[in-house]
Structure formats: structure tokens, C-alpha cells
Amino acid sequence: QLVESGGGSVQAGGSLRLSCVVSGYSYSSKCMAWYRRAPGKEREGVASIYGGDGTSLYADSVKGRFTISQDNAKNTVYLVMNSLKPEDTAMYYCAALLGWNGACPQPKGPGYEYNYWGQGTQVTVS
């Protein structure tokens, strides 16, 4: 089970931190990712992180502004979002690919390779 939190409304240029708690699977063999879906658009990848060594990947649209990280002791993945823009407004979803070893898939496209999803948390930038 994945449970996200931390969304909200913020002005352009502001920051937010999203959290995703993973329950029921505490092994490092997994990819964790953040995806988002803006109104009228397809779901797209934002960032991913490999549970084993913390290698992270980012979509070009968020590189240099967003940072994905993990706390394995808390089984939690974070997404720190800085310099937020109105185009970052979307529902943000946490996703997990369990039993995975090696580099995570590039965070792009709708993320059909991920087999567990959270309920989403809304981020609104005005």
C-alpha cells in the first residue's frame, strides 16, 4: 500500500515536499517513482529512485528543481519540489515497482510498468 501526503496550494516560485509511505514491503529491491497527471493531459513521469543504491532519474521538465529521495528505515520516499511553476499543477502519484533490481526505468510515459499506485495528492501552483 502506498499513501501520499504533502500536496497543497502554493504560489509560483514556492516549494512543497511530498511524502509516500510504503507499507507491506520493506525490501530494497524496488523502484519508487513519482508521476503526475494534469487536467486534460496524460499521466507523465517525474522522477524515480532505485531502492538499492538510491540512483535517481528525472524528467527533463523538473531537472534542477525537484529532488527525489528515500528513507529506507521509514520506508518512505520524498519529492522535494522547488521553484514551482503553474505548469507543475497536477495530481501527483507515488508508484512502486516491487521486486526490481538494477536501474529504474526512465520516468516518462504513463508508467504502466509500475504495479502499485497511491491515491494521489493534489499540487496547485498559482
Side-chain angles (χ1 to χ4, degrees):
Q1 183 181 7
L2 308 179
V3 179
E4 304 101 330
S5 62
S9 296
V10 65
Q11 290 188 337
S15 300
L16 283 173
R17 187 181 80 159
L18 307 183
S19 299
C20 172
V21 179
V22 183
S23 59
Y25 189 88
S26 59
Y27 304 102
S28 62
S29 54
K30 62 181 180 287
C31 282
M32 299 297 300
W34 288 96
Y35 279 74
R36 66 186 182 186
R37 176 179 279 154
K41 294 186 177 181
E42 290 190 349
R43 189 172 62 199
E44 63 176 3
V46 175
S48 64
I49 188 167
Y50 174 51
D53 62 8
T55 299
S56 57
L57 299 170
Y58 297 91
D60 288 343
S61 59
V62 306
K63 279 181 181 177
R65 300 188 299 122
F66 292 10
T67 302
I68 188 171
S69 63
Q70 62 188 2
D71 183 335
N72 287 334
K74 295 182 179 179
N75 233 14
T76 301
V77 175
Y78 304 98
L79 184 70
V80 175
M81 305 183 293
N82 295 321
S83 302
L84 282 162
K85 305 175 181 179
E87 51 263 44
D88 294 317
T89 295
M91 184 71 79
Y92 282 72
Y93 298 90
C94 179
L97 181 55
L98 304 183
W100 184 268
N101 287 293
C104 291
Q106 285 287 339
K108 58 183 180 180
Y112 294 136
E113 59 270 36
Y114 285 84
N115 44 20
Y116 292 92
W117 292 84
Q119 81 288 351
T121 185
Q122 179 68 38
V123 171
T124 302
V125 185
S126 59

